[in-house]
Amino acid sequence: MTDSHSEFSSDVDSHADAPTIDPDLIDDAVDYFIPGEPLVDTKAPSGPIADRWSTRKFEAKLVNPANRRKLSIIIVGTGLAGASAAATLGEAGYNVKSFCYQDSPRRAHSIAAQGGINAAKNYKEDGDSVHRLFYDTVKGGDYRSRESNVYRLAEVSTNIIDQCVAQGVPFAREYGGLLDNRSFGGVQVSRTFYARGQTGQQLLIGAYQALERQVAAGTVTTYARHEMLEVIVADDSSGQRRARGIIARDMVTGEVQTHLADVVVLASGGYGNVFYLSTNAMGCNVTAAWRAHRKGAYMANPCYTQIHPTCIPVSGSHQSKLTLMSESLRNDGRIWVPKRKEDCAKDPREIPEEDRDYYLERIYPSFGNLVPRDIASRAAKYQCDDGRGVGPEVDGVRRGVYLDFADAIARLGRDAVEAKYGNLFDMYARITGEDPYEVPMRIYPAVHYVMGGLWVDYDLQSTIPGLFVTGEANFSDHGANRLGASALMQGLADGYFVLPHTIRDYLADGPFEKIDESHPAVVEARTSVEERINHFLTVNGTRSVDSYHRELGNIMWEYCGMERTEDGLKKAIDLIRTLKDDFYRNVKVLGTADSLNQSLEKAGRVADFLELGELMCIDALNRRESCGGHFRAESQTEDGEALRHDDAFAYVAAWEWGGEGEKPILHKEDLVYTAIEMKQRSYK
Amino acid sequence: MATPTLVKGARAARSTIALKLLMAVSGLVFIGYLLLHMYGNLKVFAGHDAFNEYAHHLRTFGEPMLPYTGLLWIIRLVLIVALVAHVASFVALAARASKARTQKYAVKKNIASTLSSRTMRWGGVALFIFVVWHLIHFTIGKVNPAGGPTNDPYNLMVDSFSLWWMTVIYLLALVALGLHLHHGTWSALQTLGLTGNARARARAKRLGVVIAVLIAGGFALVPLSVLFGLVD
Amino acid sequence: MKLTLKIWRQPNAASTGAMHTYELDGVSPDMSFLEMLDVLNEDLNAKGEEPIAFDSDCREGICGMCGLMINGQAHGPEVTTTCQLHMRSFEDGDEIVIEPWRADAFPVLKDLCVDRGAFDRIIQQGGYISVNTGSAPEAHSIQVPKDAADRAFDVATCIGCGACVAACPNGSASLFMGAKITHLGELPQGQAERDSRVVNMVGQHDHEGFGGCTNIGECTAACPKEIPLDVISQLNRDLRTALRHGH
Ligand SMILES: Cc1cc2nc3c(=O)[nH]c(=O)nc-3n(C[C@H](O)[C@H](O)[C@H](O)COP(=O)(O)OP(=O)(O)OC[C@H]3O[C@@H](n4cnc5c(N)ncnc54)[C@H](O)[C@@H]3O)c2cc1C
Ligand code: HEM
Ligand code: HEM
Ligand code: SF4
Ligand code: F3S
Ligand code: FES
């Protein structure tokens, strides 16, 4: 396998010598953290990459079916990662409790994914294979993901499609009755399965239905409108530390509940809402992950944020969230801005062809409008910074570029375009009040996905024994940037096919010593939750929770967004610290603890975002290179491309909580590639 | 708040949809009967003897295999069964519906529904009262409000409808019937699961209009003709 | 824009609620309806009055979490979800009446939030295809005619928002149920459990206290995903078939 990369090296990677960095330059963040021990993932078997997963599955201990009922599993989250895991573990006969903050598991944010899901089925015979999907994903992640995990992801991708089809997920089909695929952002094979523009919805409904089936079968109990606020990490009598449960608040009655189990799984999604404006749902939060982090789970690569290029631009200061237009639109839409600033306020239809700058096609002729997300996003930012943005002026700048379907409509006909993208066009029309069949859409980048998350080993176990993390909440598969259509794949891979095997290895030693509510770890967790709630309700300051959140978001977007600099990040850290201080002293949360109280819910989330935001900036400050979604202005090529420094930064930055008010501790996991050769990316 | 339990051993026959099926089938029986009845009534236009002969023929149909009025009783039996089914399921469904939303909206708009669909229940009750009255009038009681003889169906009818208020009562009933059938026809087809696509649905709705106009209109011809002296 | 808002307030499930009137100024037509409520809540918070509880999550019309009765129409005057309704659909000076979904099967939890757990329980009764993870055949071993796949998709878009129930004079969840029955019934994979699925789902529906459908059609008009009435026909037909098969 070691030389198989040659098979793929025919594409456009540059073969320039890997750049090196002056060692003096990599200590931007020294004052902000404490170096820790290096970290190694010991669970991935060695040997040929294609065999590792089978080996691991074989070596993982088994649990006798008769014992499974006695083993209890808590799963926080009912998105693709959580619902699929709960369904599968329920089927296996474990005793599962499933939590979500929405009023039904079906509403987890995975539902919003539009574009599609990758799988190396090679139905199109266009040269796809598990290895190519693996290769594309590692490369898409800019060589910052763990090779063995990614290979496994590619490997199980085909099973996912089988599973979903059997569940009745209505994927798009061709006239012959077979599944259709399309090609998706940044790849040159057709491997993306889709259900019109609602793939996430259909996949999630499939997983949700499988979950509800287990509820009826009595193996899974669901707790909707329950928010996890703390993880219980307890020592048993022999001093073994394990995650043994969670503290959750019943969001309707306000009751603070203790739930104990043999193992805890966090599938709580991503934390993009730290930016306030993002494509995430209103409730997306970092609380579950952050509470675990504070209890000893390492947070890996928190600064890796994906900015999605095709979102509907902000229309004013009231905005509560941003809406994504699926990037599948880039398959047929052409992105441009006027060549001249004077044209920016004009009706785009009146700007003649020769006055338009199709900048992606111009700069990246081989990929054109399909360049990876980070490139497309930054390119849009540059056009707007250059004064050639379009759309309404917000705070004096036009932040938008055109995504034009005129050519596609002329080429394919309006009906074909409507069949493919109709619901997206409708959505756009509804939000903006403009008709995209007539006037080009306007788009602008927005925070969309976070590649960072809790550090997990090959088994998806965090640094807290018995705490597993799946889906967007972990860091594992996407490196510094996520390839389109691979988050859905990862969520379902983790939940249906990976976790059920690896968790049994852990559970085979269970059931673990019983602990009860009087265990000091439980009491501590419970008390801390109650005190926090109490604190928010008694500050009685002057500012609303939302106003803090918005301010934090502005800081993050400004200094830790598409482009990051040493000075900016340092400034951001100071600003966040001050803001956090003010938050605890001046926030105003009305209502009571023992009722449905949305301000209280938000207060807890914002409190955790404030701490996370600081760590993100520290992580970004430390990583003085540009890779994937992380762009440090100090590290770019002459023509403004991201410049990686493999010599200094080919590692996962796993941060340990250092204590309240203390510096975090940085543990590095070196990234070693045996099946792939690291290359500098170039999409020119 | 109802305790969230899962039902075990649900039966198709005990569902609201089964009740609806009953309603639809009995309703279709009524429609069938009304078409026959209307055909009979229209014999009025063939004159006194033809009409009375028809009434007589109804009673002697099938003799000697069936006893005198045998067919009529079969029809009556079917109608009674249908009525019991129709009314019983109406009562059960209406009771359920009223419990399904005990706290009403302060403001509620109707967007897509027809007047006829919303008046099915009151319209049904009105029809029921009408039928009771109608049976007293023509079948059981044979009341001739004009004071004439009651043993001659033709004359009984013509005498009755010579009175304007009788005609008004009947016409009102026919309006209720028309509304009931307008929604009822389409509704029955939908309940039977025969309107699984937009075209079939549109057709069923059109049929509802046709049946409503045909039956209500057909019946109305008689009292109107009498009133306007076209028949005497 | 300046608006008069009449909003249902109810502290918790047990208490009785009432309509309250609020004035709100400075509303921009580009705001979504929920952003307008956010602004109102900021106002209330500043005045020391507890903000109004209402549900939303994705705010892009797909999760089904939001749902308000706006001037007597579920999700308001446009065919979309409440979160995708924009203030440009209203006029300056309008009075807007906002109520929670009303159905006894959807008890009000607080203000405008209701409990739609009944929908989950209906799904638990067979709104799935029984296939254990890992036991699925190769995806291409099942061919689905494009028409069937498309129709299944059309109705699988239901977001479980409950507007159909809210709009139905009978408080019936037939459209929601019919959508799932049709989605799964349209596919070859869904055939094995077809009879038991409809019987059990309808059984749960009735048990939850939803009303029976009398084909009034308000549901489909309120449905943000435009689920057509066909699905109720399909539901009825499937039940009739199950009846015939002795279920
Ligand atoms: C608009 C949009 C479009 C996308 N399109 C695509 C696409 O086309 N292809 C693709 O591959 N990916 C796409 N993605 C990314 C992908 O959808 C997500 O990364 C993925 O679905 C995350 O799944 P998850 O299961 O990890 O988390 P989620 O689906 O976010 O689920 C999180 C769950 O955790 C629960 N939870 C969170 N915190 C708590 C708490 N404290 N207590 C209790 N419960 C909690 C929530 O209730 C929820 O059930 C898209 C994302 C967005 C936002
Ligand atoms: C003259 C006789 C009647 C005829 C021809 C008739 C016909 C019908 C038909 C065809 C339906 C549609 C069935 C369906 O729902 O699918 C119907 C529904 C209904 N009928 Fe009647 N009906 C008659 C009398 C009555 C009476 C006497 C009552 C009540 C006392 C009644 C109450 C109702 C109600 C409430 C419905 C609506 C329920 C629904 O649509 O499901 N009807 N009727
Ligand atoms: C103008 C309208 C109508 C006229 C002139 C009319 C006339 C009659 C007459 C003359 C009879 C007695 C027949 C007989 O005993 O031989 C009769 C019976 C009956 N009519 Fe009507 N009718 C009218 C409308 C209706 C309507 C609208 C309904 C139902 C909704 C109805 C239901 C019945 C029933 C149930 C009987 C009893 C049949 C029996 O004896 O078995 N009629 N009608
Ligand atoms: S059928 Fe329509 S209205 Fe009803 S729950 Fe589904 S999406 Fe909402
Ligand atoms: S409005 Fe109600 S009555 Fe039936 S057709 Fe729709 S569920
Ligand atoms: S908030 Fe998700 S549909 Fe409206």
Side-chain angles (χ1 to χ4, degrees):
Chain A
M1 270 298 167
T2 42
D3 65 350
S4 60
H5 62 263
S6 56
E7 184 190 342
F8 302 108
S9 49
S10 57
D11 58 26
V12 289
D13 295 302
S14 93
H15 292 264
D17 287 337
T20 52
I21 188 168
D22 178 351
D24 293 344
L25 281 177
I26 58 174
D27 58 358
D28 288 356
V30 278
D31 295 339
Y32 294 87
F33 72 87
I34 300 167
E37 294 296 302
L39 200 56
V40 269
D41 167 21
T42 53
K43 301 273 182 50
S46 48
I49 195 157
D51 300 341
R52 289 182 196 166
W53 178 228
S54 328
T55 311
R56 180 69 192 122
K57 274 195 287 188
F58 181 74
E59 285 172 354
K61 282 172 260 170
L62 296 173
V63 178
N64 181 335
N67 277 343
R68 294 184 193 159
R69 198 65 214 132
K70 296 182 213 130
L71 290 161
S72 51
I73 303 176
I74 284 175
I75 301 180
V76 180
T78 58
L80 289 180
S84 56
T88 307
L89 292 166
E91 282 161 15
Y94 297 100
N95 185 354
V96 180
K97 285 183 176 181
S98 151
F99 293 80
C100 66
Y101 69 76
Q102 294 92 343
D103 73 333
S104 162
R106 68 179 291 150
R107 308 202 200 283
H109 192 53
S110 296
I111 199 125
Q114 300 172 349
I117 178 168
N118 286 335
K121 280 284 196 190
N122 193 26
Y123 283 157
K124 296 271 171 170
E125 280 297 340
D126 56 2
D128 200 10
S129 64
V130 167
H131 202 91
R132 187 178 289 281
L133 176 53
F134 157 66
Y135 172 82
D136 285 347
T137 309
V138 172
K139 178 178 160 215
D142 227 358
Y143 304 94
R144 290 293 176 264
S145 47
R146 190 190 289 149
E147 163 186 86
S148 42
N149 287 50
V150 180
Y151 195 91
R152 173 178 64 193
L153 174 67
E155 191 179 336
V156 302
S157 67
T158 57
N159 302 345
I160 295 174
I161 301 303
D162 298 343
Q163 180 65 24
C164 295
V165 165
Q167 286 173 343
V169 170
F171 283 121
R173 293 195 178 251
E174 294 167 344
Y175 283 98
L178 296 175
L179 294 163
D180 192 14
N181 322 125
R182 58 188 178 199
S183 101
F184 211 70
V187 287
Q188 289 159 319
V189 289
S190 267
R191 64 158 78 100
T192 305
F193 293 79
Y194 65 101
R196 279 181 225 166
Q198 279 131 283
T199 316
Q201 180 197 25
Q202 294 309 318
L203 294 172
L204 183 66
I205 296 293
Y208 156 77
Q209 288 171 184
L211 169 76
E212 294 297 349
R213 170 172 167 246
Q214 291 310 309
V215 174
T219 60
V220 176
T221 313
T222 47
Y223 296 83
R225 288 200 201 262
H226 277 66
E227 184 164 27
M228 168 193 162
L229 294 177
E230 198 51 86
V231 56
I232 296 167
V233 184
D235 292 346
D236 62 15
S237 50
S238 62
Q240 172 63 50
R241 240 166 82 80
R242 292 178 197 280
R244 293 303 304 274
I246 61 168
I247 305 291
R249 179 172 177 272
D250 178 331
M251 294 158 75
V252 177
T253 64
E255 186 192 358
V256 174
Q257 304 169 339
T258 303
H259 294 271
L260 297 171
D262 291 299
V263 64
V264 177
V265 179
L266 297 186
S268 48
Y271 51 76
N273 267 352
V274 66
F275 289 87
Y276 187 70
L277 286 183
S278 79
T279 64
N280 283 6
M282 304 308 288
C284 288
N285 65 88
V286 74
T287 294
W290 193 255
R291 293 285 121 192
H293 173 61
R294 291 177 54 116
K295 282 273 164 72
Y298 296 176
M299 180 60 97
N301 301 332
C303 79
Y304 287 167
T305 315
Q306 182 167 80
I307 313 265
H308 198 290
T310 48
C311 298
I312 300 178
V314 176
S315 70
S317 58
H318 54 266
Q319 196 103 7
S320 60
K321 78 153 282 174
L322 295 173
T323 304
L324 168 82
M325 306 292 291
S326 166
E327 87 183 307
S328 63
L329 289 168
R330 286 202 276 145
N331 284 337
D332 290 308
R334 297 180 68 197
I335 295 173
W336 62 274
V337 291
K339 280 186 179 154
R340 290 190 310 253
K341 292 177 188 170
E342 311 82 86
D343 287 348
C344 289
K346 273 198 191 157
D347 182 331
R349 288 166 296 184
E350 283 163 12
I351 302 175
E353 202 59 24
E354 63 274 15
D355 289 343
R356 299 176 175 192
D357 179 9
Y358 295 91
Y359 56 90
L360 288 176
E361 297 169 22
R362 170 170 59 82
I363 312 174
Y364 309 99
S366 72
F367 281 80
N369 294 300
L370 293 175
V371 291
R373 291 173 176 180
D374 56 315
I375 295 186
S377 298
R378 244 185 351 266
K381 177 185 189 313
Y382 295 151
Q383 310 311 312
C384 299
D385 290 351
D386 190 32
R388 295 187 297 135
V390 297
E393 278 188 22
V394 177
D395 303 332
V397 194
R398 294 180 204 278
R399 298 220 168 272
V401 298
Y402 289 123
L403 175 62
D404 197 337
F405 274 79
D407 284 359
I409 293 174
R411 180 165 41 94
L412 307 165
R414 186 186 154 126
D415 288 350
V417 170
E418 190 171 345
K420 238 170 158 176
Y421 306 111
N423 67 327
L424 297 170
F425 279 36
D426 291 350
M427 185 186 226
Y428 182 86
R430 201 174 300 120
I431 292 172
T432 60
E434 289 170 16
D435 177 4
Y437 292 102
E438 295 297 327
V439 190
M441 297 186 195
R442 285 174 293 110
I443 55 170
Y444 198 66
V447 172
H448 176 56
Y449 182 88
V450 291
M451 282 71 70
L454 291 178
W455 184 89
V456 289
D457 61 19
Y458 188 67
D459 277 3
L460 305 181
Q461 187 167 208
S462 71
T463 45
I464 299 176
L467 183 77
F468 288 76
V469 189
T470 61
E472 193 173 340
N474 76 23
F475 87 106
S476 77
D477 295 355
H478 308 295
N481 198 17
R482 176 176 66 88
L483 209 61
S486 61
L488 300 182
M489 172 171 73
Q490 184 221 340
L492 290 179
D494 286 359
Y496 283 134
F497 298 108
V498 179
L499 182 74
H501 289 291
T502 59
I503 207 171
R504 68 178 148 85
D505 186 62
Y506 180 79
L507 285 171
D509 297 333
F512 302 111
E513 192 177 299
K514 268 220 144 7
I515 65 168
D516 59 25
E517 303 217 359
S518 62
H519 189 289
V522 179
V523 176
E524 182 277 323
R526 230 192 131 89
T527 323
S528 75
V529 166
E530 283 163 353
E531 280 172 356
R532 233 156 87 96
I533 292 176
N534 225 355
H535 175 81
F536 294 136
L537 287 170
T538 48
V539 183
N540 203 12
T542 55
R543 278 183 67 179
S544 71
V545 179
D546 278 349
S547 75
Y548 285 100
H549 194 177
R550 197 173 301 128
E551 186 171 338
L552 172 65
N554 285 340
I555 299 172
M556 296 300 292
W557 182 241
E558 186 64 29
Y559 302 109
C560 199
M562 270 183 277
E563 190 175 295
R564 300 150 177 194
T565 63
E566 179 180 351
D567 291 345
L569 289 163
K570 286 182 172 164
K571 184 167 172 200
I573 293 169
D574 285 343
L575 288 170
I576 294 171
R577 287 178 179 168
T578 315
L579 188 66
K580 178 179 162 188
D581 222 47
D582 189 60
F583 174 76
Y584 278 94
R585 282 187 288 105
N586 200 20
V587 71
K588 180 172 187 174
V589 181
L590 299 168
T592 59
D594 60 356
S595 68
L596 201 161
N597 188 336
Q598 293 172 330
S599 309
L600 179 63
E601 293 158 16
K602 286 192 255 182
R605 294 172 194 160
V606 171
D608 292 332
F609 280 141
L610 283 162
E611 292 177 5
L612 167 79
E614 180 180 331
L615 185 66
M616 287 172 72
C617 293
I618 294 175
D619 187 42
L621 187 58
N622 172 57
R623 191 170 285 278
R624 194 190 173 105
E625 66 161 347
S626 298
C627 57
H630 168 66
F631 188 82
R632 277 289 296 268
E634 297 90 344
S635 183
Q636 49 183 309
T637 62
E638 277 148 29
D639 29 64
E641 288 292 314
L643 186 63
R644 245 174 37 223
H645 286 293
D646 295 335
D647 52 336
F649 292 107
Y651 65 78
V652 175
W655 299 91
E656 182 183 351
W657 174 249
E660 199 71 66
E662 301 293 328
K663 293 177 186 174
I665 303 153
L666 172 62
H667 301 269
K668 298 179 182 175
E669 179 196 342
D670 284 328
L671 292 169
V672 184
Y673 293 94
T674 60
I676 255 178
E677 186 190 344
M678 287 204 219
K679 289 174 192 163
Q680 278 295 331
R681 193 175 66 153
S682 163
Y683 282 89
K684 287 245 159 150
Chain B
M1 203 193 300
T3 36
T5 51
L6 287 187
V7 185
K8 293 230 166 55
R11 306 284 310 165
R14 305 190 141 260
S15 63
T16 43
I17 298 182
L19 285 175
K20 281 280 299 167
L21 283 167
L22 216 56
M23 193 124 204
V25 172
S26 53
L28 290 180
V29 168
F30 291 151
I31 293 180
Y33 170 74
L34 286 178
L35 286 171
L36 274 176
H37 185 10
M38 185 181 73
Y39 167 75
N41 284 359
L42 293 178
K43 289 256 172 194
V44 165
F45 296 106
H48 177 273
D49 294 348
F51 184 78
N52 280 357
E53 180 142 335
Y54 169 76
H56 179 72
H57 178 69
L58 261 187
R59 287 162 171 74
T60 56
F61 184 89
E63 275 190 312
M65 246 119 79
L66 290 171
Y68 182 69
T69 68
L71 175 69
L72 207 55
W73 275 108
I74 291 175
I75 294 177
R76 283 173 182 166
L77 211 66
V78 170
L79 285 179
I80 289 168
V81 170
L83 189 71
V84 170
H86 203 77
V87 173
S89 37
F90 153 71
V91 170
L93 283 169
R96 280 194 66 90
S98 73
K99 274 195 296 193
R101 181 174 296 125
T102 47
Q103 168 79 53
K104 304 280 179 256
Y105 289 108
V107 181
K108 174 73 171 76
K109 281 195 191 127
N110 295 306
I111 307 303
S113 54
T114 54
L115 175 69
S116 51
S117 71
R118 295 192 305 268
T119 51
M120 287 303 271
R121 296 206 173 103
W122 287 114
V125 171
L127 282 176
F128 186 78
I129 295 169
F130 163 77
V131 170
V132 171
W133 145 252
H134 179 57
L135 291 183
I136 294 172
H137 178 196
F138 273 125
T139 313
I140 308 167
K142 296 209 195 279
V143 186
N144 188 336
T150 59
N151 55 356
D152 180 323
Y154 182 88
N155 287 344
L156 182 59
M157 188 152 78
V158 173
D159 286 356
S160 299
F161 294 131
S162 313
L163 298 171
W164 68 267
W165 53 272
M166 277 296 277
T167 309
V168 168
I169 291 179
Y170 270 81
L171 289 180
L172 284 177
L174 290 175
V175 169
L177 183 67
L179 285 173
H180 201 79
L181 289 178
H182 171 239
H183 180 69
T185 307
W186 122 259
S187 177
L189 294 172
Q190 166 87 348
T191 299
L192 288 167
L194 305 175
T195 44
N197 58 57
R199 282 230 313 287
R201 186 165 64 241
R203 236 181 287 132
K205 293 203 161 163
R206 249 180 283 128
L207 188 68
V209 178
V210 170
I211 295 269
V213 170
L214 185 76
I215 293 185
F219 274 115
L221 278 183
V222 176
L224 286 177
S225 308
V226 174
L227 191 68
F228 293 118
L230 299 177
V231 170
D232 53 22
Chain C
M1 287 162 75
K2 192 170 180 325
L3 300 169
T4 304
L5 304 166
K6 294 198 166 159
I7 303 179
W8 180 262
R9 307 272 342 230
Q10 177 175 337
N12 54 49
S15 53
T16 51
M19 301 298 286
H20 288 235
T21 306
Y22 305 92
E23 303 289 333
L24 186 63
D25 206 350
V27 175
S28 129
D30 283 332
M31 284 180 184
S32 73
F33 197 82
L34 297 182
E35 284 165 353
M36 182 276 290
L37 288 179
D38 289 342
V39 172
L40 174 65
N41 274 346
E42 283 283 302
D43 265 20
L44 291 179
N45 198 67
K47 283 192 224 142
E49 196 175 332
E50 199 183 338
I52 297 156
F54 62 90
D55 276 324
S56 78
D57 201 29
C58 73
R59 295 214 176 174
E60 53 185 74
I62 192 73
C63 73
M65 185 94 173
C66 63
L68 300 174
M69 205 67 180
I70 300 165
N71 285 341
Q73 281 181 265
H75 292 304
E78 314 280 338
V79 181
T80 184
T81 56
T82 303
C83 59
Q84 291 288 290
L85 177 67
H86 284 74
M87 296 315 291
R88 61 180 83 91
S89 301
F90 298 87
E91 303 279 318
D92 187 27
D94 273 1
E95 175 181 294
I96 306 178
V97 180
I98 308 171
E99 297 173 81
W101 286 168
R102 296 279 185 212
D104 289 36
F106 287 169
V108 174
L109 299 174
K110 177 169 183 167
D111 297 344
L112 303 170
C113 301
V114 301
D115 177 2
R116 284 167 289 204
F119 272 9
D120 293 327
R121 292 187 291 277
I122 290 177
I123 297 296
Q124 282 160 26
Q125 291 280 17
Y128 47 73
I129 289 170
S130 296
V131 51
N132 281 1
T133 306
S135 60
E138 152 60 39
H140 265 182
S141 66
I142 313 169
Q143 288 187 7
V144 183
K146 188 164 167 49
D147 294 351
D150 283 353
R151 177 153 195 251
F153 180 87
D154 282 340
V155 297
T157 54
C158 163
I159 56 174
C161 63
C164 45
V165 175
C168 172
N170 296 317
S172 174
S174 291
L175 196 69
F176 167 77
M177 233 181 346
K180 189 48 53 192
I181 292 286
T182 309
H183 162 205
L184 300 177
E186 209 43 67
L187 299 170
Q189 303 90 300
Q191 299 312 312
E193 296 164 296
R194 197 159 175 176
D195 285 348
S196 60
R197 173 180 307 125
V198 68
V199 173
N200 292 331
M201 284 176 71
V202 173
Q204 188 67 29
H205 168 273
D206 295 352
H207 173 76
E208 295 286 350
F210 293 107
C213 167
T214 57
N215 306 317
I216 291 177
E218 286 294 340
C219 51
T220 186
C223 174
K225 300 294 147 181
E226 301 178 69
I227 305 288
L229 281 184
D230 312 6
V231 301
I232 299 184
S233 177
Q234 188 71 55
L235 170 75
N236 294 333
R237 190 193 195 103
D238 278 19
L239 189 103
R240 184 157 58 82
T241 311
L243 201 59
R244 193 150 44 77
H245 293 169
H247 278 269

